[in-house]
Amino acid sequence: MRAWSAKFNEQKSTMCSADITIYGAGAFGLTAALEALKRGAKVQVIDPNGVGFGSSGGIVGALAPHTPERWDAVKEFQLDSLLLSRSYWPQVEQTSGLSTGYGNLGRLQAIPNDHQLELAHLRTSDAQTLWRGLAEWRVIPVTDAQGWAPDTPTGWLVHDTLSARINPARACTALAAAVTAKGGEIVAHAVPKGKVIHATGVWGLNEMSKRLGHEVGNGVKGQAILLQYDLPNAPQIFTGGVHIIPHGDGTLAIGSTSERYFDNPQSTDELADDLLARAITAMPQLSDAPVLKRWAGVRPRAATRAPMMGADPDRKGEYVFNGGFKIGFGIVPLAAQRLIDLVLEGRDTIPENFKVEASL
């Protein structure tokens, strides 16, 4: 992975003055930029590696909720952001003129045994209350899935209507186009001006850990497979730890692994092969689908496993927006609003578990 190219005071500006400078043109940096622009700020985004270079440029794009039980502020936040996504991503598409691949098509999960079936029924009633009637968690027979369902010994599936899909790389491209359409600028190098937001993924977590003298987060490698398989209006499937995501462009993504220790962050290996094999075992109709791409990247995970948002602990006027890990695209529409509340208006509406100090 290419390194960030220079210290801030060595960068040459090609920009006019900005109210906010954002380092990182991934999902977090671009959504923060768009939110600030909507509120009238001048914004420059700096990324020497280009738009969506890191894990934000992946292929899976599963926007899936936590189970509706043992409710807490983090699950409430995720619910609100997934509901907001229903209007947020179509607005990005309207502003940019580009597809994000978003579709609120739900998810099917195999129920492997009677104990899990009992839990699934209990969660049905919990979802009615916790999801406020805005989405459903239902137990349905496999026959209702009309052939698009994983093998399940019980003959039953969970169908939730809150889950959605997005095409991560296309979403980043659309976000970037929306940022420039709103008057923001995205450049490789510039002198930082105004308040500064660091949305630099794994690089940022590593830099912050070194600066503070202890680990505040790390990177977790993921591998995924992209197939040619045209089922654009089908729900995603989760079975046996594997996500199967039909996209709207005639492709289907299978993901993903979680690797704490690795040598090459961008190489695929037998773990990707195993993902594909497990997906085909669950869904034999995928066996003849051509493989279009094998993808690997490193996702930023803060120490709390929740996103890290708020003021940098030892840099006045600078902020951190990082640690999306597996739920980044699902929570970022609302997270960007909350961060910009703080940066532009001084209002702290960030959940306690998301705050920078929670990972310190």
Side-chain angles (χ1 to χ4, degrees), residues 180-267:
T180 56
K182 289 288 189 180
E185 297 194 63
I186 303 171
V187 296
H189 311 290
V191 171
K193 298 179 184 293
K195 295 180 178 180
V196 175
I197 298 171
H198 298 274
T200 49
V202 173
W203 184 92
L205 291 179
N206 291 340
E207 183 278 332
M208 193 173 179
S209 295
K210 183 177 180 180
R211 174 161 48 92
L212 297 180
H214 62 90
E215 187 175 278
V216 301
N218 51 55
V220 178
K221 181 179 176 180
Q223 299 184 45
I225 299 282
L226 190 68
L227 304 181
Q228 181 178 320
Y229 196 85
D230 191 11
L231 204 63
N233 298 314
Q236 61 185 273
I237 286 172
F238 182 70
T239 181
V242 178
H243 295 275
I244 301 171
I245 317 293
H247 286 296
D249 60 357
T251 66
L252 178 146
I254 299 167
S256 62
T257 65
S258 290
E259 304 163 50
R260 180 65 182 89
Y261 303 101
F262 49 87
D263 293 322
N264 189 331
Q266 293 178 303
S267 67

Coordinates of all heavy atoms in Angstrom, one line a residue, residues 180-267:
T180 N -17.5 17.2 -5.4 CA -17.1 18.2 -6.3 C -18.3 19.0 -6.9 O -18.2 20.2 -7.1 CB -16.3 17.6 -7.5 OG1 -17.0 16.5 -8.1 CG2 -15.0 17.0 -6.9
A181 N -19.4 18.3 -7.0 CA -20.6 19.0 -7.5 C -21.1 20.1 -6.5 O -21.7 21.1 -6.9 CB -21.7 18.0 -7.8
K182 N -20.8 19.8 -5.2 CA -21.2 20.8 -4.2 C -20.1 21.9 -4.0 O -20.3 22.7 -3.1 CB -21.4 20.0 -2.9 CG -22.7 19.2 -2.9 CD -23.9 20.1 -2.8 CE -25.2 19.3 -2.6 NZ -26.4 20.2 -2.5
G183 N -19.0 21.8 -4.8 CA -18.0 22.8 -4.6 C -16.8 22.4 -3.9 O -15.9 23.2 -3.7
G184 N -16.7 21.2 -3.4 CA -15.5 20.8 -2.7 C -14.4 20.4 -3.7 O -14.7 20.2 -4.9
E185 N -13.2 20.2 -3.2 CA -12.1 19.8 -4.1 C -11.4 18.6 -3.5 O -11.3 18.5 -2.2 CB -11.1 21.0 -4.2 CG -11.8 22.2 -4.9 CD -10.8 23.2 -5.4 OE1 -9.9 22.8 -6.3 OE2 -10.8 24.3 -5.0
I186 N -11.0 17.7 -4.3 CA -10.3 16.5 -4.0 C -8.9 16.5 -4.7 O -8.9 16.5 -5.9 CB -11.1 15.2 -4.3 CG1 -12.5 15.3 -3.7 CG2 -10.3 14.0 -3.9 CD1 -13.4 14.2 -4.1
V187 N -7.9 16.5 -3.9 CA -6.5 16.7 -4.5 C -5.6 15.6 -3.9 O -5.9 15.1 -2.8 CB -6.0 18.1 -4.3 CG1 -6.8 19.1 -5.1 CG2 -5.9 18.4 -2.8
A188 N -4.5 15.4 -4.5 CA -3.4 14.5 -4.0 C -2.6 15.2 -2.9 O -2.3 14.5 -1.9 CB -2.5 14.1 -5.1
H189 N -2.3 16.5 -3.0 CA -1.5 17.2 -2.0 C -2.0 18.6 -1.9 O -2.4 19.2 -2.9 CB 0.0 17.2 -2.5 CG 0.5 15.9 -2.9 ND1 0.7 14.8 -2.0 CD2 0.8 15.4 -4.1 CE1 1.2 13.8 -2.7 NE2 1.2 14.1 -4.0
A190 N -1.9 19.1 -0.7 CA -2.3 20.5 -0.4 C -1.9 20.8 1.0 O -1.7 19.9 1.9 CB -3.8 20.8 -0.6
V191 N -1.7 22.1 1.3 CA -1.4 22.6 2.7 C -2.8 22.5 3.4 O -3.8 23.0 2.9 CB -0.8 24.0 2.7 CG1 -0.8 24.6 4.1 CG2 0.5 24.0 2.0
P192 N -2.8 22.0 4.6 CA -4.1 21.9 5.4 C -4.5 23.3 5.8 O -3.7 24.1 6.2 CB -3.8 21.0 6.6 CG -2.3 21.1 6.7 CD -1.7 21.3 5.3
K193 N -5.8 23.6 5.7 CA -6.3 24.9 6.1 C -7.6 24.7 6.9 O -8.3 23.7 6.7 CB -6.6 25.8 4.9 CG -5.4 26.1 4.1 CD -5.8 27.0 2.9 CE -4.6 27.2 2.0 NZ -3.6 28.1 2.6
G194 N -7.8 25.5 7.9 CA -9.0 25.4 8.7 C -8.9 24.2 9.7 O -7.8 23.8 10.0
K195 N -10.0 23.7 10.1 CA -10.1 22.5 10.9 C -9.7 21.3 10.1 O -10.0 21.2 8.9 CB -11.4 22.4 11.6 CG -11.7 23.6 12.6 CD -13.1 23.4 13.2 CE -13.3 24.6 14.2 NZ -14.7 24.4 14.9
V196 N -9.1 20.3 10.8 CA -8.6 19.2 10.0 C -9.3 17.9 10.6 O -9.3 17.7 11.8 CB -7.1 19.1 10.2 CG1 -6.5 17.8 9.6 CG2 -6.4 20.3 9.6
I197 N -9.7 17.1 9.6 CA -10.3 15.8 10.0 C -9.4 14.7 9.4 O -9.1 14.7 8.2 CB -11.7 15.6 9.4 CG1 -12.6 16.6 10.1 CG2 -12.3 14.2 9.7 CD1 -14.0 16.7 9.4
H198 N -9.0 13.7 10.2 CA -8.2 12.6 9.7 C -9.0 11.4 9.6 O -9.5 10.8 10.6 CB -7.0 12.3 10.7 CG -6.1 13.5 10.9 ND1 -5.0 13.7 10.1 CD2 -6.1 14.5 11.8 CE1 -4.3 14.8 10.5 NE2 -5.0 15.3 11.5
A199 N -9.3 11.0 8.3 CA -10.1 9.8 8.0 C -9.2 8.9 7.2 O -9.5 8.6 6.0 CB -11.4 10.2 7.3
T200 N -8.1 8.5 7.7 CA -7.1 7.8 7.0 C -6.9 6.3 7.3 O -5.9 5.8 7.0 CB -5.7 8.5 7.3 OG1 -5.6 8.7 8.7 CG2 -5.7 9.9 6.7
G201 N -8.0 5.7 7.8 CA -8.0 4.3 7.9 C -6.9 3.7 8.7 O -6.4 4.2 9.7
V202 N -6.4 2.5 8.2 CA -5.3 1.8 9.0 C -4.1 2.7 9.1 O -3.5 2.7 10.2 CB -5.0 0.5 8.2 CG1 -3.8 -0.2 8.9 CG2 -6.2 -0.4 8.2
W203 N -3.7 3.4 8.1 CA -2.5 4.3 8.2 C -2.7 5.2 9.4 O -1.8 5.5 10.2 CB -2.3 5.1 7.0 CG -1.1 5.9 7.0 CD1 0.1 5.6 6.5 CD2 -1.0 7.3 7.5 NE1 1.0 6.6 6.7 CE2 0.4 7.7 7.3 CE3 -1.9 8.2 8.0 CZ2 0.8 8.9 7.6 CZ3 -1.4 9.4 8.4 CH2 -0.1 9.8 8.2
G204 N -3.9 5.8 9.5 CA -4.2 6.8 10.6 C -4.1 6.1 12.0 O -3.6 6.7 13.0
L205 N -4.7 4.9 12.1 CA -4.7 4.2 13.4 C -3.2 3.9 13.8 O -2.8 4.0 15.0 CB -5.5 2.9 13.3 CG -7.0 3.0 13.2 CD1 -7.6 1.7 13.1 CD2 -7.6 3.8 14.3
N206 N -2.4 3.5 12.8 CA -1.0 3.2 13.1 C -0.3 4.4 13.5 O 0.5 4.4 14.5 CB -0.3 2.5 11.9 CG -0.9 1.1 11.6 OD1 -1.4 0.5 12.5 ND2 -0.7 0.6 10.4
E207 N -0.5 5.5 12.8 CA 0.2 6.8 13.2 C -0.2 7.2 14.6 O 0.6 7.7 15.4 CB -0.2 7.8 12.1 CG 0.5 9.2 12.3 CD -0.1 10.1 13.3 OE1 -1.4 10.0 13.5 OE2 0.6 10.9 13.9
M208 N -1.5 7.1 14.9 CA -2.0 7.6 16.2 C -1.5 6.7 17.3 O -1.1 7.2 18.4 CB -3.5 7.6 16.1 CG -4.2 8.3 17.3 SD -6.0 8.4 17.1 CE -6.4 9.3 18.5
S209 N -1.4 5.4 17.1 CA -0.8 4.5 18.1 C 0.6 4.9 18.4 O 1.0 4.9 19.5 CB -1.0 3.1 17.6 OG -2.3 2.7 17.5
K210 N 1.4 5.1 17.3 CA 2.8 5.5 17.5 C 3.0 6.8 18.2 O 3.8 6.9 19.1 CB 3.5 5.5 16.1 CG 5.0 5.8 16.2 CD 5.6 5.7 14.8 CE 7.1 6.0 14.8 NZ 7.7 6.0 13.5
R211 N 2.1 7.7 17.9 CA 2.2 9.1 18.5 C 1.8 9.1 19.9 O 2.5 9.8 20.7 CB 1.3 10.0 17.7 CG 1.1 11.4 18.2 CD 0.6 12.4 17.2 NE -0.5 11.9 16.4 CZ -1.8 12.1 16.8 NH1 -2.1 12.8 17.9 NH2 -2.8 11.7 16.0
L212 N 0.8 8.3 20.3 CA 0.4 8.2 21.7 C 1.1 7.2 22.5 O 0.9 7.2 23.8 CB -1.1 8.0 21.7 CG -2.0 9.0 21.0 CD1 -3.5 8.6 21.1 CD2 -1.8 10.4 21.6
G213 N 1.8 6.3 21.9 CA 2.6 5.4 22.7 C 1.9 4.1 23.1 O 2.4 3.3 23.8
H214 N 0.7 3.9 22.5 CA 0.0 2.6 22.8 C -1.0 2.4 21.7 O -1.4 3.3 21.0 CB -0.7 2.6 24.1 CG -1.7 3.7 24.3 ND1 -3.0 3.5 23.9 CD2 -1.6 5.0 24.7 CE1 -3.7 4.6 24.1 NE2 -2.9 5.5 24.6
E215 N -1.4 1.1 21.5 CA -2.3 0.8 20.4 C -3.7 1.3 20.6 O -4.3 0.9 21.6 CB -2.3 -0.7 20.1 CG -3.0 -1.1 18.9 CD -2.9 -2.6 18.5 OE1 -1.9 -3.0 18.0 OE2 -3.9 -3.3 18.9
V216 N -4.2 2.1 19.6 CA -5.6 2.5 19.7 C -6.4 1.8 18.7 O -7.7 2.0 18.6 CB -5.7 4.0 19.4 CG1 -4.9 4.8 20.5 CG2 -5.2 4.4 18.0
G217 N -5.8 1.0 17.9 CA -6.5 0.2 16.8 C -5.5 -0.5 16.0 O -4.3 -0.4 16.1
N218 N -6.1 -1.3 15.0 CA -5.2 -2.0 14.1 C -6.0 -2.3 12.8 O -7.1 -1.9 12.7 CB -4.8 -3.3 14.8 CG -5.9 -4.1 15.4 OD1 -6.9 -4.5 14.7 ND2 -5.8 -4.4 16.7
G219 N -5.3 -3.1 12.0 CA -5.9 -3.4 10.7 C -6.2 -4.9 10.7 O -5.5 -5.8 11.2
V220 N -7.4 -5.2 10.1 CA -7.8 -6.6 9.9 C -8.0 -6.9 8.4 O -8.8 -6.2 7.8 CB -9.1 -6.9 10.7 CG1 -9.6 -8.3 10.5 CG2 -8.9 -6.6 12.2
K221 N -7.3 -7.8 7.9 CA -7.3 -8.1 6.5 C -8.6 -8.8 6.2 O -9.1 -9.7 6.9 CB -6.1 -8.9 6.1 CG -6.1 -9.3 4.6 CD -4.9 -10.1 4.2 CE -4.9 -10.5 2.8 NZ -3.7 -11.3 2.4
G222 N -9.2 -8.5 5.0 CA -10.3 -9.3 4.5 C -10.1 -9.7 3.1 O -9.5 -8.9 2.3
Q223 N -10.6 -10.8 2.7 CA -10.5 -11.3 1.3 C -12.0 -11.5 0.8 O -12.9 -11.9 1.6 CB -9.7 -12.6 1.2 CG -8.3 -12.4 1.6 CD -7.5 -13.7 1.4 OE1 -7.6 -14.3 0.3 NE2 -6.7 -14.1 2.4
A224 N -12.2 -11.4 -0.5 CA -13.5 -11.5 -1.1 C -13.4 -11.9 -2.5 O -12.3 -11.8 -3.1 CB -14.3 -10.2 -0.9
I225 N -14.5 -12.4 -3.1 CA -14.5 -12.9 -4.4 C -15.7 -12.2 -5.1 O -16.8 -12.1 -4.6 CB -14.8 -14.5 -4.5 CG1 -13.6 -15.2 -3.8 CG2 -15.0 -14.9 -5.9 CD1 -12.4 -15.3 -4.6
L226 N -15.5 -11.9 -6.4 CA -16.6 -11.3 -7.2 C -16.9 -12.2 -8.4 O -16.0 -12.6 -9.1 CB -16.2 -9.9 -7.7 CG -17.3 -9.1 -8.4 CD1 -18.3 -8.7 -7.3 CD2 -16.7 -7.9 -9.1
L227 N -18.1 -12.6 -8.5 CA -18.6 -13.5 -9.6 C -19.4 -12.7 -10.6 O -20.0 -11.7 -10.2 CB -19.4 -14.7 -9.0 CG -18.8 -15.5 -7.9 CD1 -19.8 -16.6 -7.6 CD2 -17.5 -16.1 -8.4
Q228 N -19.5 -13.3 -11.8 CA -20.5 -12.8 -12.7 C -21.7 -13.6 -12.5 O -21.8 -14.8 -12.8 CB -20.0 -13.0 -14.2 CG -20.9 -12.5 -15.2 CD -20.3 -12.7 -16.6 OE1 -19.2 -12.5 -16.9 NE2 -21.2 -13.1 -17.6
Y229 N -22.7 -13.0 -12.0 CA -24.0 -13.7 -11.7 C -25.1 -12.6 -11.6 O -25.0 -11.7 -10.7 CB -23.9 -14.4 -10.4 CG -25.0 -15.4 -10.2 CD1 -24.9 -16.7 -10.7 CD2 -26.1 -15.1 -9.5 CE1 -25.9 -17.7 -10.5 CE2 -27.1 -16.0 -9.3 CZ -27.0 -17.3 -9.8 OH -28.0 -18.3 -9.6
D230 N -26.0 -12.6 -12.5 CA -27.0 -11.5 -12.6 C -28.3 -11.9 -11.9 O -29.2 -12.6 -12.4 CB -27.3 -11.3 -14.1 CG -28.0 -10.0 -14.4 OD1 -28.2 -9.2 -13.4 OD2 -28.5 -9.8 -15.5
L231 N -28.5 -11.3 -10.7 CA -29.7 -11.5 -9.9 C -29.9 -10.2 -9.2 O -29.8 -10.1 -7.9 CB -29.6 -12.7 -9.0 CG -30.9 -13.3 -8.5 CD1 -31.6 -13.9 -9.7 CD2 -30.6 -14.4 -7.5
P232 N -30.1 -9.0 -9.9 CA -30.0 -7.7 -9.3 C -31.0 -7.4 -8.2 O -30.7 -6.5 -7.4 CB -30.1 -6.8 -10.5 CG -30.9 -7.6 -11.5 CD -30.5 -9.0 -11.3
N233 N -32.1 -8.0 -8.2 CA -33.1 -7.7 -7.2 C -33.3 -8.7 -6.1 O -34.3 -8.7 -5.4 CB -34.5 -7.5 -7.9 CG -34.4 -6.4 -8.9 OD1 -33.9 -5.3 -8.6 ND2 -34.9 -6.6 -10.2
A234 N -32.3 -9.6 -5.9 CA -32.4 -10.6 -4.9 C -31.8 -10.1 -3.6 O -30.9 -9.3 -3.6 CB -31.7 -11.8 -5.3
P235 N -32.4 -10.6 -2.5 CA -31.8 -10.2 -1.2 C -30.4 -10.9 -1.0 O -30.1 -11.9 -1.6 CB -32.8 -10.8 -0.2 CG -33.4 -12.0 -0.9 CD -33.5 -11.6 -2.3
Q236 N -29.6 -10.3 -0.1 CA -28.3 -10.9 0.2 C -28.6 -12.1 1.2 O -29.6 -12.2 1.8 CB -27.4 -9.9 0.9 CG -28.0 -9.3 2.2 CD -27.1 -8.2 2.8 OE1 -26.2 -8.5 3.6 NE2 -27.4 -7.0 2.5
I237 N -27.6 -12.9 1.2 CA -27.6 -14.2 2.0 C -26.5 -14.2 3.0 O -25.3 -13.8 2.7 CB -27.7 -15.4 1.1 CG1 -29.0 -15.5 0.4 CG2 -27.3 -16.7 1.9 CD1 -29.1 -16.6 -0.6
F238 N -26.8 -14.6 4.2 CA -25.7 -14.9 5.2 C -25.9 -16.3 5.8 O -26.9 -16.6 6.3 CB -25.8 -13.8 6.4 CG -24.7 -14.0 7.4 CD1 -23.4 -13.7 7.1 CD2 -24.9 -14.5 8.7 CE1 -22.3 -13.9 8.0 CE2 -23.9 -14.7 9.6 CZ -22.6 -14.4 9.2
T239 N -24.9 -17.1 5.6 CA -24.9 -18.5 6.0 C -23.5 -19.0 6.3 O -22.6 -18.7 5.5 CB -25.6 -19.3 4.9 OG1 -25.7 -20.7 5.4 CG2 -24.9 -19.3 3.6
G240 N -23.4 -19.7 7.4 CA -22.1 -20.2 7.7 C -21.0 -19.2 7.8 O -19.8 -19.6 7.5
G241 N -21.3 -18.0 8.2 CA -20.2 -17.0 8.2 C -19.9 -16.4 6.9 O -18.9 -15.6 6.9
V242 N -20.6 -16.7 5.9 CA -20.3 -16.2 4.5 C -21.4 -15.2 4.1 O -22.6 -15.5 4.2 CB -20.1 -17.3 3.5 CG1 -19.9 -16.7 2.1 CG2 -19.0 -18.3 3.9
H243 N -21.0 -14.0 3.6 CA -21.9 -13.1 3.0 C -22.0 -13.3 1.5 O -20.9 -13.4 0.8 CB -21.5 -11.6 3.2 CG -21.5 -11.3 4.7 ND1 -22.6 -10.8 5.3 CD2 -20.5 -11.3 5.6 CE1 -22.4 -10.5 6.6 NE2 -21.1 -10.8 6.8
I244 N -23.2 -13.4 0.9 CA -23.4 -13.6 -0.5 C -24.3 -12.4 -1.0 O -25.4 -12.3 -0.6 CB -24.0 -14.9 -0.8 CG1 -23.2 -16.1 -0.3 CG2 -24.3 -15.1 -2.3 CD1 -23.8 -17.4 -0.4
I245 N -23.7 -11.5 -1.8 CA -24.3 -10.2 -2.1 C -24.5 -10.0 -3.6 O -23.6 -9.7 -4.3 CB -23.5 -9.0 -1.6 CG1 -22.9 -9.3 -0.2 CG2 -24.3 -7.7 -1.6 CD1 -23.9 -9.3 0.9
P246 N -25.8 -10.2 -4.1 CA -26.0 -9.9 -5.5 C -26.0 -8.4 -5.7 O -26.7 -7.7 -4.9 CB -27.4 -10.5 -5.7 CG -27.7 -11.4 -4.6 CD -26.9 -10.8 -3.4
H247 N -25.3 -7.9 -6.6 CA -25.2 -6.5 -6.9 C -26.1 -6.2 -8.1 O -26.5 -7.1 -8.8 CB -23.8 -6.0 -7.1 CG -23.0 -5.9 -5.9 ND1 -23.3 -5.0 -4.9 CD2 -21.9 -6.6 -5.4 CE1 -22.5 -5.1 -3.9 NE2 -21.6 -6.1 -4.2
G248 N -26.3 -4.9 -8.3 CA -27.2 -4.5 -9.4 C -26.6 -4.4 -10.8 O -27.3 -4.1 -11.7
D249 N -25.3 -4.7 -10.9 CA -24.6 -4.6 -12.2 C -24.3 -6.0 -12.8 O -23.4 -6.1 -13.6 CB -23.4 -3.8 -12.0 CG -22.4 -4.5 -11.0 OD1 -22.7 -5.5 -10.4 OD2 -21.3 -3.9 -10.8
G250 N -25.0 -7.0 -12.4 CA -24.7 -8.3 -12.9 C -23.6 -9.1 -12.2 O -23.1 -10.1 -12.8
T251 N -23.2 -8.6 -11.1 CA -22.1 -9.3 -10.3 C -22.7 -9.7 -9.0 O -23.7 -9.3 -8.6 CB -20.9 -8.4 -10.1 OG1 -21.3 -7.3 -9.3 CG2 -20.4 -7.9 -11.4
L252 N -21.9 -10.6 -8.3 CA -22.2 -11.1 -7.0 C -21.0 -11.2 -6.2 O -20.0 -11.8 -6.7 CB -23.0 -12.4 -7.1 CG -23.4 -13.1 -5.8 CD1 -24.7 -13.9 -6.0 CD2 -22.3 -14.1 -5.3
A253 N -21.0 -10.7 -5.0 CA -19.8 -10.7 -4.1 C -19.9 -11.7 -3.0 O -21.0 -11.9 -2.5 CB -19.6 -9.3 -3.5
I254 N -18.8 -12.3 -2.7 CA -18.7 -13.3 -1.6 C -17.7 -12.9 -0.7 O -16.5 -12.6 -1.1 CB -18.4 -14.7 -2.1 CG1 -19.5 -15.2 -3.1 CG2 -18.3 -15.7 -1.0 CD1 -19.1 -16.4 -3.9
G255 N -18.0 -12.7 0.6 CA -17.0 -12.2 1.6 C -17.4 -12.6 3.0 O -18.5 -13.0 3.2
S256 N -16.6 -12.4 3.9 CA -15.2 -12.1 3.7 C -14.4 -12.7 4.9 O -15.0 -13.1 5.9 CB -14.9 -10.6 3.7 OG -15.3 -10.0 4.9
T257 N -13.1 -12.7 4.8 CA -12.3 -13.3 5.9 C -12.0 -12.2 6.9 O -12.2 -11.0 6.6 CB -11.0 -13.8 5.3 OG1 -10.2 -12.8 4.8 CG2 -11.3 -14.9 4.3
S258 N -11.5 -12.6 8.1 CA -11.0 -11.6 9.1 C -9.7 -12.1 9.5 O -9.6 -13.1 10.3 CB -12.0 -11.5 10.2 OG -13.1 -10.8 9.9
E259 N -8.6 -11.5 9.1 CA -7.2 -12.0 9.4 C -6.4 -10.9 10.2 O -6.1 -9.8 9.6 CB -6.5 -12.3 8.1 CG -7.3 -13.3 7.2 CD -6.8 -13.3 5.8 OE1 -5.6 -13.4 5.6 OE2 -7.7 -13.2 4.9
R260 N -6.1 -11.2 11.4 CA -5.4 -10.2 12.2 C -3.9 -10.3 11.9 O -3.2 -9.2 12.0 CB -5.6 -10.6 13.7 CG -4.9 -9.7 14.7 CD -5.4 -8.3 14.6 NE -4.7 -7.4 15.5 CZ -3.6 -6.7 15.2 NH1 -3.1 -6.8 14.0 NH2 -3.0 -5.9 16.1
Y261 N -3.4 -11.4 11.5 CA -2.0 -11.5 11.1 C -1.8 -11.9 9.7 O -2.5 -12.8 9.2 CB -1.3 -12.5 12.0 CG -1.4 -12.2 13.5 CD1 -2.4 -12.8 14.3 CD2 -0.7 -11.2 14.1 CE1 -2.6 -12.5 15.6 CE2 -0.8 -10.8 15.4 CZ -1.8 -11.5 16.2 OH -1.9 -11.1 17.5
F262 N -1.0 -11.2 8.9 CA -0.9 -11.4 7.5 C 0.4 -10.8 7.0 O 1.0 -9.9 7.6 CB -2.0 -10.8 6.7 CG -2.3 -9.4 7.1 CD1 -1.7 -8.3 6.5 CD2 -3.3 -9.1 8.1 CE1 -2.0 -7.0 6.8 CE2 -3.5 -7.8 8.4 CZ -2.9 -6.7 7.8
D263 N 0.9 -11.3 5.9 CA 2.2 -10.8 5.3 C 1.9 -9.8 4.2 O 2.5 -8.7 4.2 CB 3.0 -12.0 4.7 CG 3.5 -12.9 5.8 OD1 3.9 -12.4 6.9 OD2 3.5 -14.1 5.6
N264 N 1.0 -10.1 3.3 CA 0.7 -9.2 2.2 C -0.7 -8.8 2.3 O -1.6 -9.5 2.2 CB 0.9 -10.0 0.8 CG 0.8 -9.0 -0.4 OD1 0.1 -8.0 -0.3 ND2 1.5 -9.4 -1.4
P265 N -0.9 -7.4 2.5 CA -2.3 -7.0 2.7 C -3.2 -7.0 1.5 O -4.4 -6.9 1.7 CB -2.1 -5.5 3.2 CG -0.8 -5.1 2.6 CD 0.1 -6.4 2.6
Q266 N -2.6 -7.2 0.3 CA -3.5 -7.1 -0.9 C -3.4 -8.4 -1.7 O -3.8 -8.4 -2.9 CB -3.0 -5.9 -1.8 CG -3.3 -4.6 -1.1 CD -2.9 -3.4 -1.9 OE1 -1.7 -3.3 -2.3 NE2 -3.8 -2.5 -2.3
S267 N -3.0 -9.5 -1.1 CA -2.9 -10.8 -1.8 C -4.1 -11.6 -1.4 O -4.5 -11.6 -0.2 CB -1.6 -11.5 -1.6 OG -1.5 -11.9 -0.2

